[in-house]
Structure formats: C-alpha cells, structure tokens
Amino acid sequence: CKLQPKDAAKMPESAWKLLFYTLSWSYGIYLLFFTDYPFFYDPPSVFYGWKKGMDVPTDIAIAYLLQCSFYGHSIYATAYMDTWRKDSVVMLLHHVVTLTLIAFSYAFSQAGCPEQGLQGTLARAARGREVVLGEAALGLTPPPGSPSNPPGSLCPGRFWFRLYWFPLKVLYATCYSSLQSVPNIPFYFFFNALLLILTLMNIYWFLYIVLFVAKVLMGQMQEVNDVREYDVEDSKKT
C-alpha cells in the first residue's frame, strides 16, 4: 500500500482490531436489533423479572466468550506487541477493568446477579461502531499533505457513542433503573464503580481527539499524526 514505515509497522495492529471489532459489533447489533431482546430501546428491561439463579442465554454467553478472550489477549498485546503510546498505561488499565467487568459479570450472573452480559452487550454495541471507524482511520492514515482527515472526523462519533449513548443507555440503567427494579441488587457499587472508571477513560481519550483537532485548526500539525504517539526525541528518552 506504499505506507510510510511507521504506518506500515502499525498496520497489523489496526487491521487485527478492525477485523475483531467489525465482527463483534456486528454480533452485538444482531443481538440488539434482530432478536427479541428489547435492551436498546428499553435499557432498564435488563432488570425486569429478575430472579436469583437466572441463567445467561446461550447467545449472550457467546458474546461473553468472544469479549473475554479478546481483552485477555489485549492485556498481553498492549504490553508486549503494540506500539507503546502516551496512553498505553491507561489502555492497560482499560483492558483490566473491562476484563474484570466481563468475567465477574458472568460469574455473578450464574450466582444470581442481574447485571449480566445483557447489559454488557448494550455497552459494547454503543461503543463498537466508533471503534470500528477509528481503527479503519488509523490503519489507513493518508500520506502527508492529504486533505482528508479521518481521525478528526471521528470526534463527533466518539462523543455520540461513548459520551452520550454509553451514559444514556448503560449508566442510567445500571446506576438508577437497577435499584428501581431490584432494590437490593447484588454488587451494585462494584459494577458501577468500574463502569464509571470506563466513562472517565472515555473522557480522557476524547480530550486527545479534541487536542488533535485543535492542532489541525491552529496550523500546528501539517500531516495526520496520532497525538498519543511519542515524538522521536521522546521515544529515545523512553
């Protein structure tokens, strides 16, 4: 593809994530819009009719397996395989928090906790489309001087999916609706604390995109670069 050397080095990482997120997001869309689950249009319905000892449906359990496997691998990949960036430590924390949410959600649902993968499916679908577009843009960054600007164009998408839909659809259901349906819901503070940590990370990464757009508008960036990456001088110090 005649990529710059640094972009060619990042291509396998972005191509792999693009493939996985495309498949996982498509499966999440299938669960939300092509089955009988009403979770997208009525997120509090996750907790309707809950009773102790409920089983996780097979199609939801498949989503659990896929996500748990991916984030287990991502912890290793971020530390030892992917390009090290300014936010890599935060990315590692994100993967640990996400894996904890997935694993404990499944384990606790088997033990009778209603905050299970049904809500996780909604969370992944709310975030997935923006991630798919992001990996496609980063993996196919145009050469210097190109007028197109894919990463900057993702700013509205990241805001809409991660800072609007995620709190509106997920946090509202887990923080408020869960207590209305199940007053003594198990592990309420544990799950919501982790979900709030993810929200703070979403804000943190959104600020990176705002910084990127600001640099482009002020003429401080002549080519499309990932502002999370270290400069050459910084890389030598690191």
Side-chain angles (χ1 to χ4, degrees):
C1 298
K2 298 182 180 180
L3 296 172
Q4 298 294 321
K6 67 173 185 177
D7 293 328
K10 293 185 298 182
M11 176 57 80
E13 174 189 348
S14 291
W16 155 243
K17 291 180 180 178
L18 172 62
L19 173 64
F20 174 81
Y21 284 124
T22 299
L23 295 176
S24 65
W25 177 74
S26 298
Y27 186 62
I29 292 301
Y30 162 75
L31 292 176
L32 289 177
F33 297 105
F34 297 94
T35 63
D36 295 330
Y37 299 127
F39 307 130
F40 183 81
Y41 299 105
D42 186 18
S45 64
V46 171
F47 303 99
Y48 296 167
W50 173 79
K51 60 182 179 180
K52 188 173 182 179
M54 293 178 64
D55 292 329
V56 178
T58 301
D59 49 4
I60 299 294
I62 292 174
Y64 263 123
L65 177 62
L66 292 174
Q67 297 293 339
C68 197
S69 301
F70 175 77
Y71 282 103
H73 159 76
S74 294
I75 294 174
Y76 173 84
T78 301
Y80 298 106
M81 297 173 61
D82 298 344
T83 302
W84 192 258
R85 302 181 176 93
K86 296 176 182 177
D87 68 334
S88 291
V89 174
V90 179
M91 186 69 73
L92 276 172
L93 177 61
H94 169 272
H95 296 338
V96 171
V97 170
T98 303
L99 185 61
T100 302
L101 273 168
I102 295 171
F104 278 81
S105 174
Y106 186 82
F108 290 162
S109 67
Q110 295 291 67
C113 175
E115 296 197 55
Q116 48 183 269
L118 310 179
Q119 195 66 45
T121 300
L122 180 59
R124 290 303 310 162
R127 295 155 51 93
R129 180 176 179 272
E130 175 266 323
V131 176
V132 169
L133 294 176
E135 292 302 335
L138 292 175
L140 301 175
T141 302
S146 171
S148 59
N149 181 6
S153 64
L154 292 173
C155 190
R158 179 170 283 262
F159 176 83
W160 182 261
F161 286 101
R162 295 200 175 195
L163 300 182
Y164 177 72
W165 262 9
F166 186 74
L168 179 66
K169 298 289 186 178
V170 178
L171 294 184
Y172 176 80
T174 59
C175 293
Y176 176 76
S177 301
S178 60
L179 289 178
Q180 304 302 310
S181 300
V182 188
N184 296 319
I185 184 171
F187 313 107
Y188 174 83
F189 292 103
F190 174 78
F191 281 109
N192 281 296
L194 294 181
L195 288 171
L196 289 173
I197 290 175
L198 289 182
T199 303
L200 292 176
M201 293 181 185
N202 289 338
I203 297 173
Y204 169 79
W205 278 307
F206 180 74
L207 294 178
Y208 266 113
I209 295 185
V210 172
L211 175 63
F212 171 86
V213 174
K215 285 187 174 183
V216 171
L217 293 178
M218 292 187 295
Q220 298 179 5
M221 186 178 294
Q222 302 302 320
E223 61 182 73
V224 178
N225 290 318
D226 191 341
V227 294
R228 300 173 302 162
E229 294 183 351
Y230 289 102
D231 296 331
V232 177
E233 294 77 7
D234 292 335
S235 297
K236 292 179 180 179
K237 295 177 182 178
T238 304

